[in-house]
Amino acid sequence: MKKKFLCNCLILFGLLLFFTVMPQIIQSPLSVVRASEVEKEKNNEYRLNLKSITLVNGKSFTLKVYNLEDDAKVSFKSADPSIASVNENGTFKANKVGSTTITATVRRGSNSTSLTCDVKVGPPAFSVKMTRSIIILGQKQSALLEVIMKPSNTAELAKFSSFNSSIASVSSGGRVTAKRLGMTYIFAEIDAVNLDGSKKFASCSVIVTKPEEVTQLRKYFSNHLELSLISESDLSAALYEFFNSNNTTESNSGSESSIVDNLDKFLNLKFNLENLKKTYQERLQPVVEIKLSSQAGI
């Protein structure tokens, strides 16, 4: 009797366990299927290649809608065509400075979906200038260039390039990376043109040296202000000759003289730095006297 009762209890417990666990096992794959279907549906949603853009006045850009079905139709409309007009293919042109919105409407059967792109139109740049004329980097070091463009509200971005990317390369955003010993030039170009038809640009000299020599060279240039009396083109040409010479790039490691000593001797031969120092002091003296007089209240 006891055995029969115990057997019935075990059967009842087994049934309870079965009906408790089985629904979860059955529902689990269904949940996974639903989740994957939602993810698939999300990935197939209509979307534009851009949600916002800043464009230079007079320039064009083409909007594209992704994940379109074969039977879907798309139309484009500008909230303010005087600022940016758009054609049936989604190509819009910046007409004047301002902000507007381009709407892409996707129609499929009786369903429609609207997608928007915010458009800001700014003026082109008419001048560009680097904030530094010389950058000194150790190998594998990097620095971010800064440019000043006018007008200040320009929508244009400078186009960066390197004269010799094996010495120092530059990214589209202006980050310079030093690679091997030597000197090169980095250019920042805009679409505006000079009288001869060439595009306007700014440049800076990038000197790549050994990491342990960076501080020495930076101090040298900051302490020799008389170098500012040399024309930028002449000084740049001299530095290019010095830092790209075999004596500098190859044998400097075994030389007893420091790179600063060698550079100073080289520039002295080229420009007679002693005379330049005297000239610089003579030009600086009246400025110092005026400043001292104003501080003394004279």
Side-chain angles (χ1 to χ4, degrees):
M1 188 71 178
K2 289 182 179 179
K3 288 183 179 181
K4 188 175 181 181
F5 176 77
L6 183 60
C7 184
N8 289 335
C9 288
L10 289 173
I11 292 171
L12 182 61
F13 178 78
L15 289 172
L16 287 172
L17 185 63
F18 175 83
F19 286 110
T20 302
V21 175
M22 277 305 292
Q24 296 179 8
I25 297 174
I26 294 171
Q27 289 177 8
S28 180
L30 292 176
S31 299
V32 173
V33 171
R34 290 194 189 102
S36 63
E37 286 176 349
V38 169
E39 187 65 30
K40 183 178 179 181
E41 184 178 340
K42 184 178 179 181
N43 290 337
N44 288 334
E45 286 181 350
Y46 303 132
R47 62 184 180 88
L48 290 173
N49 51 341
L50 282 179
K51 291 185 177 180
S52 63
I53 185 173
T54 300
L55 205 61
V56 177
N57 191 18
K59 297 292 184 179
S60 299
F61 186 82
T62 300
L63 283 176
K64 294 181 180 179
V65 182
Y66 294 133
N67 301 322
L68 283 176
E69 297 87 354
D70 293 337
D71 58 344
K73 298 185 181 299
V74 184
S75 61
F76 297 91
K77 184 178 180 180
S78 172
D80 190 342
S82 67
I83 294 175
S85 53
V86 62
N87 64 18
E88 59 184 8
N89 298 318
T91 300
F92 62 89
K93 182 181 179 182
N95 297 320
K96 72 175 184 180
V97 175
S99 298
T100 188
T101 301
I102 304 293
T103 301
T105 302
V106 182
R107 290 184 175 84
R108 189 185 183 209
S110 59
N111 298 322
S112 65
T113 303
S114 294
L115 307 169
T116 59
C117 175
D118 295 324
V119 179
K120 182 180 179 181
V121 179
F126 58 76
S127 73
V128 59
K129 182 181 179 181
M130 295 274 196
T131 57
R132 290 187 284 178
S133 59
I134 298 176
I135 295 176
I136 303 170
L137 296 173
Q139 286 176 287
K140 297 183 179 180
Q141 293 179 349
S142 66
L144 187 63
L145 290 174
E146 293 183 13
V147 295
I148 298 173
M149 299 172 67
K150 293 183 179 180
S152 58
N153 65 333
T154 180
E156 188 171 353
L157 297 175
K159 303 172 188 69
F160 294 99
S161 62
S162 172
F163 180 72
N164 189 338
S165 57
S166 68
I167 294 176
S169 61
V170 62
S171 69
S172 59
R175 179 162 292 280
V176 179
T177 301
K179 293 186 174 180
R180 67 174 177 85
L181 300 180
M183 175 179 151
T184 188
Y185 302 103
I186 300 296
F187 302 101
E189 185 182 83
I190 58 176
D191 288 336
V193 296
N194 298 299
L195 294 176
D196 61 0
S198 61
K199 288 190 175 182
K200 292 185 177 181
F201 68 90
S203 66
C204 74
S205 304
V206 177
I207 297 170
V208 180
T209 187
K210 297 171 185 175
E212 61 270 21
E213 296 171 341
V214 171
T215 302
Q216 301 173 43
L217 284 171
R218 287 176 179 171
K219 284 183 178 179
Y220 178 82
F221 284 105
S222 63
N223 292 336
H224 287 72
L225 299 178
E226 70 275 8
L227 294 176
S228 62
L229 299 178
I230 305 170
S231 72
E232 190 173 328
S233 59
D234 288 345
L235 179 60
S236 178
L239 293 175
Y240 188 88
E241 180 183 347
F242 175 79
F243 284 102
N244 289 323
S245 67
N246 290 332
N247 291 334
T248 303
T249 58
E250 293 179 6
S251 62
N252 188 56
S253 59
S255 175
E256 293 182 1
S257 301
S258 69
I259 191 170
V260 168
D261 292 334
N262 292 333
L263 176 61
D264 193 57
K265 291 175 184 177
F266 179 83
L267 293 179
N268 258 313
L269 290 173
K270 285 276 186 183
F271 304 110
N272 195 337
L273 295 187
E274 289 303 319
N275 284 342
L276 283 178
K277 285 179 183 178
K278 292 178 182 178
T279 304
Y280 185 82
Q281 291 296 330
E282 290 171 358
R283 293 185 182 182
L284 186 64
Q285 189 61 34
V287 177
V288 173
E289 290 176 354
I290 292 172
K291 188 174 181 180
L292 290 174
S293 298
S294 63
Q295 289 176 349
I298 299 174

